[in-house]
């Protein structure tokens, strides 16, 4: 019997609070509220592109926790949430102050005592793996707490035992841990990962990998036996390695309205196309196009359609790739 769930993701989602563009947090009189979290961003992007997606997490049973679930469900994502006592835990938030050069964009996190930091695999509906095709999480989640790290490992193991293809976006965050600690934690998880997404910058600074993207991909695949390695290179595009075959993809130009969530949109586009039967080259193309579209949209989420992705790809002759 064919799987009925295309994609399962697991991780933290926070409430993103942003003053109007150009205003400072210290003087703003209003804040825009949106859900934002790497794994839920991927679930939303993939769902928008036709995948049946489920997001697993732990939230406080509060208006803010229910708001997150409502927003994700509005984009077609099914949720498997463990509800925590709001007197004991809370929903993490982050504040985003966007500014142009030379000020730049500033992100402030307020996530201490978030419900996700107490999560355990026993609380989550892991039976979903019995009917799933792929499982995805990121390097942000194990950085949140020992419990979150243990649950990440448990879920990766459970997904593998069920025959689910497991992907992992390294997603290193310097505000959560130092490179040495992160490297040890990541390499401990690599035995449970089939597909690795990694920025070239993180491969160098966190994993100590030298060389260009193709060399990095080959080295990681050989050492950790990944089925596929996708190395992103910012404005230089991305490289994918699978079965010793190298695929390269440039970027699609975009007017950057909001860059937050671009990497998650890239992963969503890649996974959605692979789930739909596309080969790695087609998946890279969809990933790049989805990421470009995300840059034009406010918020963390890639609120896009398959038709828009196809139109972006079809218009590539007029775009510097």
């Amino acid at each position: 019997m064919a799987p009925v769930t295309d994609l399962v993701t697991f991780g933290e989602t926070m409430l993103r609070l942003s003053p109007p563009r150009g205003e400072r947090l210290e003087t703003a009189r209003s804040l825009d509220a949106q859900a934002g979290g790497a794994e839920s961003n991927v679930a939303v992007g993939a769902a928008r592109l036709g995948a049946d997606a489920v997001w697993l997490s732990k939230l406080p049973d509060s208006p803010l926790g229910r708001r997150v679930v409502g927003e994700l469900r509005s984009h077609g994502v099914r949720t498997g949430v463990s509800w925590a006592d709001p007197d004991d835990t809370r929903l993490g938030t982050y504040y985003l102050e966007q500014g142009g050069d030379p000020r730049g964009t500033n992100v402030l996190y307020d996530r201490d005592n978030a419900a996700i930091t107490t999560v355990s695999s026993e609380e989550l509906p892991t039976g979903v793996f019995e009917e799933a095709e792929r499982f995805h999480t990121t390097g942000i989640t194990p950085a949140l707490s020992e419990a979150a790290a243990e649950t990440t490992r448990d879920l990766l193991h459970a997904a593998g035992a069920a025959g689910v293809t497991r992907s992992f976006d390294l997603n290193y965050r310097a505000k959560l841990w130092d490179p040495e600690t992160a490297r040890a934690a990541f390499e401990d998880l690599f035995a449970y990962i089939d597909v690795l997404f990694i920025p070239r910058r993180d491969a160098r600074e966190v994993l100590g990998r030298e060389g260009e993207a193709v060399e990095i991909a080959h080295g990681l695949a050989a050492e950790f036996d990944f089925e596929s390695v996708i190395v992103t290179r910012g404005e230089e595009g991305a490289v994918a390695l699978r079965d010793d075959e190298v695929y390269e993809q440039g970027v699609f130009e975009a007017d950057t309205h909001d860059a937050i969530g671009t990497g998650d949109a890239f992963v969503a586009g890649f996974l959605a196309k692979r789930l739909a039967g596309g080969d790695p080259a087609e998946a890279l193309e969809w990933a790049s196009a989805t990421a470009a579209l995300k840059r034009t949209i406010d918020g963390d989420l890639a609120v896009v359609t398959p038709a828009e992705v196809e139109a972006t790809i079809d218009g590539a002759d007029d775009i510097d790739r």
Side-chain angles (χ1 to χ4, degrees):
M1 183 176 179
V4 298
T5 301
D6 294 321
L7 176 67
V8 180
T9 74
F10 164 68
E12 179 187 34
T13 292
M14 296 175 287
L15 196 65
R16 164 178 156 169
L17 300 170
S18 309
R21 189 175 299 271
E23 291 193 24
R24 306 302 299 264
L25 277 167
E26 61 192 77
T27 57
R29 297 181 182 275
S30 63
L31 295 172
D32 181 55
Q34 302 179 53
E39 294 88 353
S40 56
N41 294 347
V42 170
V44 167
R48 299 279 314 186
L49 296 176
D52 183 278
V54 176
W55 172 72
L56 307 181
S57 193
K58 187 172 185 177
L59 294 170
D61 190 1
S62 68
L64 295 181
R66 293 189 292 274
R67 188 199 191 286
V68 166
V69 166
E71 185 167 348
L72 300 184
R73 287 178 176 173
S74 75
H75 294 287
V77 174
R78 293 187 285 125
T79 58
V81 171
S82 172
W83 294 103
D85 187 337
D87 291 333
D88 298 328
T89 60
R90 58 187 287 264
L91 180 71
T93 60
Y94 83 94
Y95 298 84
L96 179 72
E97 181 184 276
Q98 297 205 59
D101 292 334
R103 180 160 59 89
T105 295
N106 187 33
V107 178
L108 301 173
Y109 291 101
D110 181 14
R111 68 204 323 172
D112 289 348
N113 200 37
I116 189 69
T117 63
T118 67
V119 70
S120 69
S121 57
E122 290 79 12
E123 299 176 279
L124 301 173
T126 54
V128 71
F129 291 135
E130 298 302 323
E131 55 182 26
E133 182 73 23
R134 287 179 178 258
F135 173 59
H136 179 77
T137 189
T138 81
I140 294 174
T141 304
L144 299 176
S145 69
E146 290 185 11
E150 183 177 349
T151 302
T152 300
R153 186 182 304 106
D154 288 347
L155 294 184
L156 285 166
H157 183 271
V164 175
T165 300
R166 301 156 294 182
S167 60
F168 187 83
D169 185 354
L170 201 76
N171 239 338
Y172 173 70
R173 293 292 184 267
K175 291 185 178 182
L176 290 175
W177 49 6
D178 62 80
E180 293 76 18
T181 304
R183 177 175 180 172
F186 292 150
E187 292 187 349
D188 183 53
L189 294 175
F190 283 171
Y192 306 103
I193 294 165
D194 305 302
V195 179
L196 179 70
F197 294 89
I198 182 169
R200 179 175 58 187
R201 175 194 64 250
D202 291 350
R204 291 171 172 173
E205 296 178 3
V206 181
L207 300 185
R209 299 283 161 165
E210 301 295 335
E212 293 304 312
V214 173
E215 184 179 355
I216 289 170
H218 274 291
L220 289 169
E223 182 171 350
F224 297 103
D225 198 30
F226 297 123
E227 290 180 7
S228 301
V229 178
I230 299 92
V231 182
T232 55
R233 306 175 296 183
E235 294 181 356
E236 297 177 43
V239 167
L241 174 71
R242 180 176 174 82
D243 297 330
D244 289 327
E245 185 90 18
V246 174
Y247 306 85
E248 295 196 47
Q249 174 65 45
V251 300
F252 294 94
E253 287 188 357
D255 292 329
T256 301
H257 188 70
D258 186 348
I260 304 296
T262 299
D264 303 326
F266 178 95
V267 173
F270 187 95
L271 294 179
K273 191 59 177 178
R274 290 291 280 158
L275 285 163
D279 62 30
E282 293 171 320
L284 270 184
E285 205 170 38
W286 268 60
S288 183
T290 306
L293 288 166
K294 166 60 202 70
R295 300 182 76 89
T296 70
I297 300 166
D298 245 341
D300 277 45
L301 304 179
V303 185
V304 300
T305 67
E308 289 171 332
V309 173
E310 291 285 9
T312 301
I313 294 169
D314 291 343
D317 289 342
D318 300 322
I319 297 175
D320 180 10
R321 299 174 61 196

